[in-house]
Amino acid sequence: MTNSFDTPGSGSPSPFTQVSTNRSFGGHQKVLRHESRALGCSMNVGVYLPPQAESGRCPVLYWLSGLTCTEQNFVTKAGVQEHAARHGIIVVAPDTSPRGEGVADDPAYDLGQGAGFYVDATEAPWAKHYRMHEYVAEELPGLVEAHLPALSDRRGIFGHSMGGHGALVLALKHPGRYRSVSAFSPIVAPSRVPWGEKALGAYLGADREAWKAWDATALVREAKERLPILIDQGDADQFLTRELQPELLRAACEAAGHPLTLRMQPGYDHSYYFIASFMRDHVEHHAAALR
């Protein structure tokens, strides 16, 4: 059952309806739903409001999830609420792709619905709906910052796997917009690994030069700011050698003089058990920059 989500003081009717709300660490974990202009479909968004949001403005931390995920994987498994409540940070976690009837899809898990890759597609049949970069970079922040008055203008971004790729790319493509960035087991070089080659080829076409605009290892060479990057990567991750290859980003950052902390965590895999284990460190990394 959905309820109207009108926030007093926002100045106009809210575009959001409230799908659910749960009390958590003194704040509220909500799931909101809205119609997306960029994606041409309805989208769910997880929003954690810490207790501090009841009395003042709080910085916002955007989370981008990985392949096959919805907003639910993060809000139910990552354990972010305790740490966000301690530091007074709002956390916004959108779905990973457009969804619904009429939205192009593919039988494979790594293309189509659940696999938007945070790019703006240019190729049919994807271009009509798959504009996740526009959605995350422009539309969603515009909506939540207009209709959740508790948000300040201080933003950070982080993510996991495909979402780690998205977080790095957004931070690098939009200097000055975010004060902090981090990632768990990100796809750092999608133009050079099978997951990325498949998705970028489908969404953007065969021109590999065009893919570099969505590749953190290429973008960091031309970065106009030196926002410190924190990455945690499990050394028992089943995708480490084939799909993730964090050493490629380390080499690119060293060549560009870009600050990077890459921590290889012994015995950890690609799962939310890994993410939850180091969530506190990542929230503290962002909190230090967002104060």
Side-chain angles (χ1 to χ4, degrees):
M1 181 177 179
T2 61
N3 300 299
S4 174
F5 188 74
D6 293 322
T7 305
S10 63
S12 61
S14 174
F16 297 107
T17 56
Q18 183 167 277
V19 177
S20 64
T21 184
N22 297 93
R23 191 78 166 160
S24 180
F25 293 95
H28 293 88
Q29 177 61 61
K30 297 179 180 290
V31 175
L32 310 180
R33 191 165 180 83
H34 74 102
E35 294 298 320
S36 167
R37 170 193 48 78
L39 304 178
C41 67
S42 297
M43 290 290 284
N44 279 3
V45 184
V47 176
Y48 178 69
L49 298 174
Q52 296 88 334
E54 296 180 7
S55 57
R57 292 184 179 273
C58 298
V60 59
L61 185 52
Y62 290 91
W63 168 268
L64 304 182
S65 292
L67 287 166
T68 76
C69 291
T70 70
E71 80 290 340
Q72 285 298 313
N73 299 76
F74 177 71
V75 302
T76 60
K77 296 180 180 180
V80 73
Q81 294 87 355
E82 178 182 4
H83 311 303
R86 182 183 307 114
H87 292 285
I89 296 174
I90 294 170
V91 184
V92 175
D95 200 350
T96 53
S97 78
R99 297 183 191 267
E101 291 186 16
V103 175
D105 200 8
D106 188 273
Y109 77 94
D110 54 357
L111 188 67
Q113 295 187 34
F117 259 83
Y118 304 101
V119 303
D120 289 339
T122 58
E123 301 297 303
W126 313 105
K128 182 178 180 181
H129 294 284
Y130 283 76
R131 302 192 61 80
M132 282 299 293
H133 178 264
E134 178 184 348
Y135 175 68
V136 174
E138 304 289 346
E139 184 181 20
L140 181 60
L143 292 175
V144 296
E145 290 174 17
H147 295 280
L148 297 179
L151 269 71
S152 76
D153 61 357
R154 291 167 290 159
R155 307 178 194 94
I157 191 164
F158 65 154
H160 170 234
S161 194
M162 177 185 74
H165 140 75
L168 294 173
V169 166
L170 262 83
L172 291 166
K173 286 174 78 74
H174 298 280
R177 178 170 299 179
Y178 304 100
R179 297 193 182 191
S180 55
V181 61
S182 73
F184 295 87
S185 48
I187 305 170
V188 300
S191 66
R192 290 185 275 175
V193 299
W195 271 344
E197 289 174 327
K198 179 178 180 178
L200 298 182
Y203 297 144
L204 305 175
D207 181 4
R208 286 178 171 264
E209 281 300 307
W211 299 1
K212 293 180 180 178
W214 307 98
D215 186 311
T217 62
L219 291 169
V220 78
R221 298 188 183 103
E222 306 297 330
K224 291 182 171 57
E225 68 175 347
R226 293 288 183 254
L227 201 62
I229 298 170
L230 169 64
I231 290 176
D232 274 306
Q233 171 65 64
D235 71 2
D237 191 317
Q238 61 269 44
F239 304 111
L240 176 59
T241 302
R242 177 180 168 88
E243 305 288 0
L244 305 179
Q245 300 185 33
E247 67 275 6
L248 296 177
L249 183 62
R250 174 157 42 202
C253 286
E254 288 176 353
H258 196 104
L260 169 68
T261 300
L262 172 60
R263 308 192 308 187
M264 300 299 298
Q265 301 293 358
Y268 284 91
D269 58 19
H270 201 70
S271 70
Y272 267 86
Y273 294 109
F274 162 58
I275 295 170
S277 297
F278 298 98
M279 182 55 65
R280 177 176 180 170
D281 290 359
H282 281 248
V283 174
E284 290 181 349
H285 165 79
H286 290 280
L290 293 171
R291 289 193 183 100

